[in-house]
Amino acid sequence: MASGSQLEAIKGAKVLMVGAGGIGCELLKTLALSGFQDIHIIDMDTIEVSNLNRQFLFRQCHVGQSKAKVARDAVLKFRPHINITPYHANVKDPEFNVEFFKQFNVVLNGLDNLDARRHVNRLCLAAEVPLVESGTTGFLGQVTVHVKGKTECYECQPKPTPKTYPVCTITSTPSKFVHCIVWAKDLLFAKLFGDKNQENDLNVRSNDGTNLTAPTEDVFERRTDEDPEQYARKIYDHVFGYNIEIALANEETWKNRNKPRPLYVRDVLPDNLIQQNGSLENCVTEESVVSSMLSLGLKNPQDIWSLSENSRIFLEALRLFIEKRQKDVGNLTFDKDDQLAVEFVTAAANIRASSFGISLHSLFEAKGIAGNIVHAVATTNAIIAGLIVIEAIKILQGDFENCRMTYCLEHPSRKMLLMPVQPFEANKSCYVCSETPLILEINTRTSKLRDFVEKIAKNKLGMNSPMIMHGSTLIFEAGDDLEEDVAANYALNIDKALAELPAPVTSGTVLTVEDLRQELSCNINIKHREEFDEEKEPDGLVLVGWIAPTQKDTRLVSNGESTSTAHPAVTEMVENSDEVGIAPAKPGTKRKLSEMSEITDNVHDITPRSSRDVNDQVNPQEVEDDNDDVDDDIVILDENPETRKKKRLQ
């Protein structure tokens, strides 16, 4: 039973929720039932069929509608007298600026990608509003508290490059080639050649969430009178043509995205090529390996096939599975050492990539992309949502001393599945919340301003609208509201070498890089360097005082979860396979920054170790999830440049 002071704090609070997916649905419900009266929700996504197994506020009839708006309507049915304001928009839109954030008492994140998390972290710092972060992956979860001046910020520890992908991104709005690989391997290949009775997010009848006329039969079932070529063409037309047309019917999804192009066999391959599409006599290698490449006379795995060649490989590989490996069909799982499977997945991924305007890749490159599906667990989302609300109430009461970062473990540690840890102090070398400048080693004679903008300001520093100043001279500014003559002037300079700019950038120059929307400012000392190791320093530059992110395995996750790193914890815990185990500490104790520097940060990104490691001691970590499309970004974390308050963009 809540105390009088708790009820007073709850009823008087104005709360911002960012994300209305797996965690967000549970969080909104818990906030409403806990007595919160004024809740605002931001989410740019629309509801997909694959969301319905865990995002319980949504139903089949809601497919294609705004998550934020439907979530609001669902909760108002059982809490009609509270105020819920939905925003079907991207939290990175200009309207959600620092002034917008200042109106709230606390911000609660249920995001699925690193880029958006970093953006919200910076806005909360600038607005001086407490932030409660969260994330889940399978049975693992975490909640962390970030209060300016009292705890570390979200970016005080390096985050691994996110390599987990939400189901809705994979099935509906891919933006990277890896999304297409995961779709081809974990969805299409599994549906065609694995257990046909297993649950699958592929649209088998193309009638989900639309009013369009759809086939009445399961297109993945091969009829007895259907020869392999006919069946292969039917599958091609269904997954690359018909399903894309169905997706295009939801205009809301494509308002801010490039529309995909439906592809049909008749449009890609002439009839004569389809009829000549391979020879059964020439499809087996000397090692008795069935290969569609061999059948079609394609030899070099490092060649990037054209759309026509990918289509022929797709049709031929599917035919060969039926005619040469029929006994395997129904029991197959993807194996990177299975030549025919790799050929099929590469071709399918490239065809889908072509449809969505994504660059094609070679078989050699595609083979190197691997991952495992991590299924969302609704119970984990519910637990994490409850913990978020508990921490939010502490913050609203000003009880910062009792705030805790809590990790949800898969296996009990010291008889506990929930592991509370006292928040950590700010990292004094964090360039986001501290004041330590960075040093950039770069060849100022050959490196262009574009390299600095893309690789440093946007990629490494995570700025969306960077402004670059050399003393009092503005040498670059990004934004849609620039006057034509100003934009034209920047366009003239963008491909000039740094040393050839009107205000030359040479060794010893100090550049100030700012993002006014994030109210983030960073000083970078330039140090000229002639040569770089192509293998160890492929970007041709080195940012000193910035901790490079660690790499994670690729895997598929469901909406509403997360991907990140974690902090030192307390005891044994199953974590990312590439994480270093840390000696357990007593619950509730603080660690020194030096001890924390090698630990990961969000439970969202926690990945179970192999079975032999399950009992090894490790540190609890944070997890994150699904995104907007926000994608796998690089995380940065290190020394902080000097921050200065600037006039905000209007």
Side-chain angles (χ1 to χ4, degrees):
M1 187 74 179
S3 66
S5 62
Q6 286 178 330
L7 289 174
E8 184 179 348
I10 288 170
K11 289 183 177 180
K14 189 172 185 178
V15 177
L16 175 62
M17 272 180 54
V18 187
I23 293 174
C25 281
E26 293 285 350
L27 179 57
L28 181 59
K29 174 262 297 180
T30 305
L31 287 171
L33 294 177
S34 299
F36 284 82
Q37 303 291 307
D38 192 359
I39 307 167
H40 293 239
I41 317 168
I42 302 174
D43 195 303
M44 69 176 291
D45 282 344
T46 53
I47 298 163
E48 304 287 345
V49 175
S50 59
N51 302 149
L52 303 181
N53 69 334
R54 65 195 177 283
Q55 297 175 24
F56 69 97
L57 296 178
F58 310 142
R59 298 291 183 269
Q60 177 75 34
C61 61
H62 297 138
V63 171
Q65 298 180 40
S66 162
K67 285 186 176 182
K69 293 176 181 178
V70 172
R72 169 192 180 272
D73 294 343
V75 170
L76 288 181
K77 289 180 180 178
F78 58 86
R79 277 292 183 273
H81 303 302
I82 67 175
N83 176 50
I84 302 177
T85 306
Y87 304 88
H88 180 56
N90 190 332
V91 71
K92 293 164 66 177
D93 289 346
E95 64 186 287
F96 305 118
N97 54 20
V98 174
E99 290 302 319
F100 175 84
F101 272 68
K102 281 183 176 179
Q103 66 183 297
F104 300 102
N105 300 105
V106 65
V107 176
L108 312 177
N109 263 358
L111 285 163
D112 55 8
N113 66 92
L114 179 60
D115 191 38
R117 279 189 165 91
R118 291 158 70 187
H119 184 77
V120 172
N121 175 61
R122 295 170 185 189
L123 290 175
C124 286
L125 287 171
E128 298 188 0
V129 177
L131 169 65
V132 182
E133 258 294 350
S134 66
T136 62
T137 291
F139 293 105
L140 303 174
Q142 104 192 357
V143 173
T144 58
V145 176
H146 306 281
V147 182
K148 185 175 181 179
K150 297 182 182 297
T151 73
E152 65 182 5
C153 78
Y154 174 73
E155 297 176 75
C156 270
Q157 298 300 324
K159 306 292 185 292
T161 305
K163 288 295 184 66
T164 59
Y165 307 101
V167 170
C168 61
T169 298
I170 299 303
T171 58
S172 306
T173 55
S175 58
K176 304 175 186 291
F177 183 70
V178 65
H179 297 160
C180 301
I181 284 286
V182 174
W183 175 87
K185 178 175 70 72
D186 291 329
L187 298 181
L188 184 59
F189 183 90
K191 185 65 180 177
L192 287 169
F193 309 121
D195 182 0
K196 293 186 181 296
N197 296 319
Q198 67 181 343
E199 290 294 324
N200 194 294
D201 284 298
L202 275 181
N203 185 2
V204 299
R205 293 187 175 80
S206 301
N207 60 353
D208 294 328
T210 73
N211 295 321
L212 301 180
T213 304
T216 56
E217 63 175 353
D218 182 347
V219 296
F220 289 91
E221 287 293 330
R222 181 175 164 230
R223 299 190 307 270
T224 54
D225 62 342
E226 200 171 31
D227 66 41
E229 288 83 3
Q230 289 176 320
Y231 176 70
R233 290 196 296 273
K234 180 180 75 172
I235 296 299
Y236 187 109
D237 288 346
H238 178 79
V239 297
F240 301 120
Y242 190 78
N243 275 359
I244 299 298
E245 289 190 353
I246 294 298
L248 288 171
N250 182 11
E251 296 182 1
E252 189 72 29
T253 300
W254 311 107
K255 277 188 176 179
N256 300 310
R257 296 182 174 97
N258 293 326
K259 293 183 177 181
R261 173 172 60 112
L263 298 173
Y264 291 89
V265 173
R266 64 176 181 271
D267 301 323
V268 177
L269 292 176
D271 289 340
N272 63 322
L273 273 183
I274 297 175
Q275 292 166 3
Q276 307 169 10
N277 201 42
S279 164
L280 287 178
E281 290 75 28
N282 299 324
C283 68
V284 181
T285 66
E286 294 178 0
E287 296 79 27
S288 300
V289 175
V290 178
S291 168
S292 56
M293 285 181 64
L294 187 63
S295 175
L296 297 174
L298 299 174
K299 298 179 180 179
N300 189 350
Q302 297 195 28
D303 287 342
I304 297 178
W305 303 326
S306 65
L307 175 59
S308 173
E309 289 171 326
N310 277 293
S311 299
R312 295 182 69 198
I313 287 286
F314 179 90
L315 298 173
E316 183 67 0
L318 187 46
R319 180 174 74 98
L320 291 175
F321 268 115
I322 294 172
E323 297 187 359
K324 289 289 188 177
R325 297 179 56 180
Q326 182 62 49
K327 65 180 185 303
D328 296 331
V329 174
N331 302 303
L332 284 172
T333 55
F334 179 80
D335 183 350
K336 63 181 175 54
D337 296 319
D338 183 334
Q339 176 66 19
L340 191 59
V342 172
E343 291 169 353
F344 176 85
V345 166
T346 300
N350 274 328
I351 298 167
R352 186 166 175 83
S354 178
S355 177
F356 282 85
I358 300 168
S359 299
L360 308 190
H361 286 60
S362 68
L363 181 139
F364 179 82
E365 294 169 317
K367 185 175 180 179
I369 302 174
N372 300 311
I373 296 178
V374 178
H375 296 286
V377 178
T379 305
T380 309
N381 289 340
I383 292 170
I384 292 303
L387 292 170
I388 293 171
V389 175
I390 290 172
E391 296 306 320
I393 293 172
K394 294 177 188 176
I395 289 171
L396 294 172
Q397 291 182 291
D399 187 12
F400 299 109
E401 288 298 316
N402 287 314
C403 286
R404 293 290 181 268
M405 303 191 303
T406 305
Y407 301 94
C408 181
L409 313 182
E410 182 174 3
H411 302 283
S413 175
R414 298 182 183 175
K415 299 183 179 180
M416 291 190 293
L417 282 174
L418 295 180
M419 183 65 59
V421 182
Q422 196 167 6
F424 303 102
E425 297 173 352
N427 184 345
K428 293 179 181 178
S429 57
C430 169
Y431 77 92
V432 177
C433 67
S434 297
E435 298 180 355
T436 306
L438 302 173
I439 298 173
L440 176 63
E441 297 180 2
I442 190 170
N443 190 323
T444 58
R445 299 190 188 97
T446 59
S447 295
K448 297 178 171 46
L449 177 59
R450 182 186 300 278
D451 296 326
F452 186 91
V453 172
E454 297 297 331
K455 295 179 180 179
I456 299 298
K458 292 185 177 180
N459 194 0
K460 294 191 186 308
L461 300 184
M463 295 182 175
N464 300 308
S465 301
M467 183 172 72
I468 303 169
M469 298 185 69
H470 181 344
S472 60
T473 303
L474 183 61
I475 61 176
F476 179 83
E477 184 177 7
D480 298 328
D481 55 350
L482 297 178
E483 295 181 4
E484 288 187 12
D485 57 335
V486 175
N489 185 49
Y490 291 147
L492 289 174
N493 292 328
I494 194 70
D495 287 315
K496 288 183 180 179
L498 294 174
E500 297 172 356
L501 293 171
V505 175
T506 57
S507 197
T509 297
V510 178
L511 294 179
T512 300
V513 188
E514 300 185 9
D515 189 318
L516 296 186
R517 290 177 184 168
Q518 297 177 348
E519 290 204 3
L520 176 65
S521 178
C522 168
N523 286 344
I524 301 180
N525 296 321
I526 303 299
K527 181 179 179 181
H528 176 77
R529 181 171 154 191
E530 286 289 336
E531 298 179 354
F532 294 86
D533 187 313
E534 291 184 2
E535 288 189 11
K536 296 180 180 179
E537 303 160 331
D539 288 337
L541 50 83
V542 175
L543 189 60
V544 181
W546 171 82
I547 300 176
T550 56
Q551 296 293 320
K552 300 269 181 185
D553 293 333
T554 301
R555 55 191 186 284
L556 177 62
V557 257
S558 351
N559 286 359
E561 284 71 68
S562 43
T563 44
S564 187
T565 29
H567 276 309
V570 200
T571 58
E572 320 155 6
M573 163 171 176
V574 182
E575 285 222 33
N576 299 327
S577 56
D578 56 347
E579 306 259 324
V580 179
I582 296 183
K586 293 181 180 179
T589 59
K590 288 187 179 180
R591 280 183 181 270
K592 296 178 181 177
L593 288 176
S594 59
E595 296 178 43
M596 294 162 23
S597 62
E598 298 179 3
I599 305 170
T600 341
D601 201 28
N602 284 352
V603 180
H604 311 337
D605 290 335
I606 298 182
T607 327
R609 291 174 178 261
S610 60
S611 56
R612 64 182 174 81
D613 291 327
V614 165
N615 295 318
D616 292 347
Q617 276 193 325
V618 261
N619 335 317
Q621 304 211 354
E622 309 176 346
V623 188
E624 23 184 320
D625 156 27
D626 177 30
N627 133 190
D628 71 83
D629 338 33
V630 215
D631 326 331
D632 351 37
D633 296 326
I634 297 183
V635 182
I636 326 157
L637 214 9
D638 235 44
E639 315 220 281
N640 272 356
E642 195 178 349
T643 20
R644 293 178 291 142
K645 280 268 185 180
K646 290 288 178 181
K647 190 174 180 180
R648 296 181 207 90
L649 291 176
Q650 299 299 318

